[in-house]
Amino acid sequence: MINKNKNILLTFDVEEFDLPLDYGIRISLDEQMAVGEKGLNAITEMLDYQKVNGTLFTTANFGLRYPSAIAALSKKHEIASHTFFHSSFNKEDLKNSRQVLEDIISKKVTGLRMPRMKKIEMGWVKEAGFSYDSSVNPTWIPGRYNNIRLPRTCYVENGILRVPASVSVNFRIPLFWLSFKNLPYRYFRKLALQALKKDNYLSLYFHPWEFTDLNDYNVPLFIKRNSGEVLLDKLKRLISDLKQEGEFLTMQSFIESCPLA
């Protein structure tokens, strides 16, 4: 029997595959989009098979390229904002991205996640019309961010409910895409279950492009190893295991039952 008091928030950042640009590798926008679409098709087929719902934090840029696909996905999954472009940002992108996505799916868009979990003023988020934010990884990642002093679990900041990505109960090991890809499965699963037991929810995030073959790209091995079908099979296994421990919810459904909201 599913424990409905334990919730699993499975989220994906649906975006242009612009990661090679971070390493000085030229890649056209068309190719960035094509890789993102291929990965999105792979994960949505798997989610359909597993019969679980997730939250797709989508750039408006990607949504405008594939509006029919995003509209169709919104019937089963939550569409939230990943701002307008993945590689650049202006304050106006917050509201504009929400409005574009709402036009595409004909539904209200309530959530935000900044690309690369960048810091963002909650006043801006509130002004842009969002009700929750998931742009916090409460850990330390050298060269990226140090959020070790921020809360591990949900909290309210300036009227916005913030839902951090999950980290381990001890030492705050991030339970995100890179650790899932590189840690032994049994160890990652152990840390995830400990966090689920302690916090009553587990917030995980991935990118669709991870589930394509990245071996042709000259990016670091820790990014491209175990990509494509290998990673997809690993995620299938995790979902099957987590189904025994709790209920999969979209972010918005989780927030509706959150006492802090």
Side-chain angles (χ1 to χ4, degrees):
M1 181 180 294
I2 295 175
N3 185 347
K4 293 192 175 183
N5 293 320
K6 306 287 186 183
N7 300 137
I8 298 100
L9 313 177
L10 185 62
T11 74
F12 298 87
D13 293 352
V14 179
E15 62 196 32
E16 311 87 288
F17 176 58
D18 60 357
L19 182 138
L21 299 177
D22 292 348
Y23 297 94
I25 301 166
R26 296 184 64 182
I27 179 172
S28 70
L29 180 59
D30 285 344
E31 186 175 355
Q32 293 175 38
M33 291 291 186
V35 173
E37 182 196 25
K38 184 177 180 180
L40 183 60
N41 290 338
I43 61 125
T44 53
E45 182 178 339
M46 183 270 296
L47 294 176
D48 285 346
Y49 177 79
Q50 295 282 356
K51 297 181 180 179
V52 297
N53 298 327
T55 301
L56 308 177
F57 289 93
T58 307
T59 65
N61 195 27
F62 190 94
L64 287 171
R65 179 66 71 102
Y66 304 107
S68 297
I70 298 303
L73 287 168
S74 72
K75 299 182 186 304
K76 296 182 179 180
H77 307 283
E78 178 189 356
I79 304 299
S81 173
H82 202 38
T83 71
F84 212 101
F85 304 101
H86 197 256
S87 293
S88 64
F89 174 73
N90 292 301
K91 179 184 176 183
E92 294 75 17
D93 291 341
L94 296 173
K95 183 177 180 179
N96 291 342
S97 68
R98 180 181 60 78
Q99 292 177 332
V100 165
L101 291 172
E102 288 182 345
D103 287 344
I104 290 171
I105 67 175
S106 299
K107 292 181 182 180
K108 188 171 177 60
V109 170
T110 59
L112 170 74
R113 175 176 290 154
M114 290 294 292
R116 300 178 176 89
M117 296 287 200
K118 290 181 180 177
K119 289 185 177 180
I120 182 71
E121 293 290 336
M122 288 301 100
W124 292 6
V125 176
K126 188 175 183 179
E127 181 183 333
F130 296 102
S131 58
Y132 78 86
D133 170 75
S134 184
S135 306
V136 178
N137 201 341
T139 187
W140 175 56
I141 296 181
R144 185 57 62 92
Y145 39 67
N146 184 356
N147 295 326
I148 208 75
R149 296 185 181 277
L150 292 179
R152 287 181 55 257
T153 56
C154 299
Y155 63 100
V156 175
E157 181 181 338
N158 199 9
I160 295 292
L161 181 66
R162 307 201 75 179
V163 185
S166 288
V167 295
S168 67
V169 175
N170 298 312
F171 308 114
R172 294 200 178 204
I173 298 171
L175 301 176
F176 68 154
W177 65 285
L178 276 177
S179 53
F180 182 69
K181 179 187 289 280
N182 290 284
L183 291 176
Y185 177 78
R186 289 182 181 274
Y187 185 56
F188 182 92
R189 178 180 178 274
K190 176 182 178 181
L191 296 179
L193 291 179
Q194 287 175 347
L196 180 61
K197 181 179 180 180
K198 172 72 173 178
D199 304 332
N200 292 324
Y201 77 93
L202 184 67
S203 179
L204 306 174
Y205 75 94
F206 306 91
H207 310 87
W209 49 257
E210 297 173 59
F211 301 92
T212 66
D213 187 349
L214 300 178
N215 287 312
D216 289 340
Y217 295 97
N218 190 24
V219 296
L221 182 61
F222 67 84
I223 290 176
K224 66 181 180 181
R225 72 190 299 265
N226 296 327
S227 59
E229 287 292 335
V230 172
L231 192 64
L232 193 63
D233 288 342
K234 194 174 183 180
L235 184 57
K236 288 177 185 176
R237 183 180 178 186
L238 181 66
I239 290 174
S240 295
D241 286 346
L242 290 177
K243 276 183 175 180
Q244 312 304 314
E245 307 294 337
E247 181 181 17
F248 281 80
L249 294 179
T250 64
M251 281 275 188
Q252 182 57 41
S253 295
F254 170 73
I255 284 163
E256 287 170 0
S257 62
C258 178
L260 293 177

